[in-house]
Amino acid sequence: MRIDFRPSGICLPDVDLWLDSTEPCPNCWISHGHSDHARGLHGHVFGTAPTLEIYRLRNPETAGASPECTPVEYGEPFEFGGARLTALPASHILGAAQLLIEFAGERTVYTGDIKLNDPLCGTPTILAACDRLIIESTFGLPIYQFLDREEARDRIVGFARETLDDGISPVFIGYPLGRGQEIAHVLTNAGIPTAVHGSIARYIPVYERAGFEFPEWMPYANRETAGKALVVTPEFRNYLEASGKNIRIAYVSGWAVLDNARARSGAEVLIPYSDHAGFDELTAIVEGTGARHVDVVHGYTEPFAKLLRDRGVDARAPLPATARGSVEQQEG
């Protein structure tokens, strides 16, 4: 099967399908709802039901254009363009999915953003044997090693309770989609009063419809922060710091492993938990699929491909790391 790697996405001309195209195309698979993947006014869109709901929510122009959207279930194959396609969980954010493409006797898996550790909110990853693997490598260097789900949950809850006991408002920096909801889910299920910034709160109903509970969460209100944990976006940190509120900040991110993370985030506490795979997870995914050929896209592409080649894997980086935004611009 021919595969064309382009800055706007991955094209499968033999199947008449694009993978995560950021520019309009006739037929597009969307692996998950982050804006560097779920963008573009396409003619026909495939994805899991939560991903398609997030896609419409983030792209209001789709309402007027009414693209044809086909929701797919994990593990249920469907036919398109002469290929047999199957969505598999990717554990990245709610609805994230890999795509197994069976065409002309060859099995290809496109991971999209993926992690192997179980997520705080989401469906655990299932690996599929394949001949060719297209894998995203946001954290494809050995320095990136992350907490597992239980460790992250304990660190989040422990920081919140200790800070509240000191009479200070704990502030968690999360991303609008994915990390923010995971943090809020952990806090609210631990019985901690939690106020959530609007950019994060807008997606909570999507998570609730998927079965994840956020008991008694409340929207962030400027004058009502005492005695509550606050879950906010990185951009909101500067406002809180300038407000004079009695706060202590925790940064929950894969980038928290870096030496400069505290200075860059303004956080007192660093919690290295990510919705992307760490290095050991990435190598385990490659080994688990048994792929004979690996294409590395996004993030530390060439370094990770070289590390795989050093281990005897036929790997390459078909696009430069900046093709769809630098590593620093990706959510972690």
Side-chain angles (χ1 to χ4, degrees):
M1 179 176 63
R2 176 181 161 192
I3 302 177
D4 293 340
F5 295 89
R6 305 180 187 178
S8 61
I10 300 170
C11 181
L12 310 179
D14 295 333
V15 184
D16 191 23
L17 181 69
W18 283 76
L19 309 177
D20 284 338
S21 176
T22 56
E23 295 182 359
C25 65
N27 304 296
C28 189
W29 164 259
I30 298 180
S31 65
H32 67 280
H34 280 146
S35 61
D36 60 335
H37 292 71
R39 189 168 74 237
L41 189 56
H42 312 299
H44 190 176
V45 176
F46 299 91
T48 64
T51 291
L52 295 181
E53 186 174 358
I54 294 166
Y55 167 68
R56 295 188 193 98
L57 192 59
R58 299 193 82 157
N59 299 274
E61 69 274 13
T62 61
S66 298
E68 182 180 356
C69 292
T70 300
V72 301
E73 297 289 339
Y74 293 133
E76 296 188 5
F78 62 101
E79 304 292 326
F80 182 80
R84 178 182 169 94
L85 308 177
T86 309
L88 300 168
S91 296
H92 174 54
I93 65 170
L94 180 67
Q98 309 166 73
L99 186 65
L100 168 63
I101 306 144
E102 298 175 88
F103 182 81
E106 184 180 53
R107 291 166 60 93
T108 298
V109 168
Y110 169 61
T111 66
D113 281 323
I114 190 171
K115 64 183 289 182
L116 196 54
N117 288 338
D118 288 348
L120 289 166
C121 289
T123 305
T125 291
I126 295 175
L127 298 181
C130 61
D131 304 295
R132 185 171 189 172
L133 178 68
I134 305 171
I135 187 169
E136 305 217 4
S137 62
T138 301
F139 291 112
L141 292 179
I143 61 170
Y144 293 108
Q145 306 289 343
F146 305 135
L147 301 176
D148 65 26
R149 176 175 62 181
E150 298 308 316
E151 292 173 317
R153 180 183 288 117
D154 290 345
R155 291 276 293 274
I156 291 168
V157 171
F159 170 76
R161 287 180 173 157
E162 178 182 344
T163 305
L164 288 168
D165 286 346
D166 290 339
I168 301 171
S169 296
V171 174
F172 292 88
I173 299 175
Y175 296 102
L177 175 60
R179 188 68 36 69
Q181 292 78 27
E182 286 191 312
I183 296 169
H185 174 70
V186 167
L187 292 170
T188 55
N189 280 275
I192 297 169
T194 304
V196 184
H197 186 275
S199 296
I200 297 168
R202 70 185 296 228
Y203 297 109
I204 285 180
V206 183
Y207 278 72
E208 290 176 325
R209 284 190 284 275
F212 295 97
E213 297 181 350
F214 299 77
E216 300 184 13
W217 77 272
M218 60 200 80
Y220 172 86
N222 184 45
R223 297 181 181 179
E224 302 172 6
T225 59
K228 301 179 180 66
L230 311 179
V231 185
V232 304
T233 60
E235 297 79 10
F236 201 66
R237 185 202 82 202
N238 291 337
Y239 167 78
L240 284 175
E241 290 178 328
S243 70
K245 296 182 184 298
N246 192 17
I247 62 173
R248 186 179 294 158
I249 298 175
Y251 183 40
V252 185
S253 173
W255 303 116
V257 304
L258 298 178
D259 292 340
N260 64 354
R262 185 169 280 105
R264 292 181 57 192
S265 66
E268 296 181 41
V269 173
L270 303 175
I271 301 176
Y273 170 80
S274 180
D275 52 21
H276 293 80
F279 178 79
D280 287 348
E281 294 171 81
L282 287 170
T283 56
I285 291 168
V286 172
E287 293 170 1
T289 64
R292 293 181 289 103
H293 180 85
V294 178
D295 296 299
V296 183
V297 294
H298 290 221
Y300 294 101
T301 54
E302 184 51 49
F304 185 61
K306 183 180 185 305
L307 286 164
L308 291 177
R309 291 195 296 271
D310 291 344
R311 298 182 178 204
V313 177
D314 178 19
R316 65 170 185 145
L319 285 173
T322 56
R324 293 177 68 177
S326 68
V327 170
E328 295 297 323
Q329 293 172 326
Q330 296 181 37
E331 297 179 340

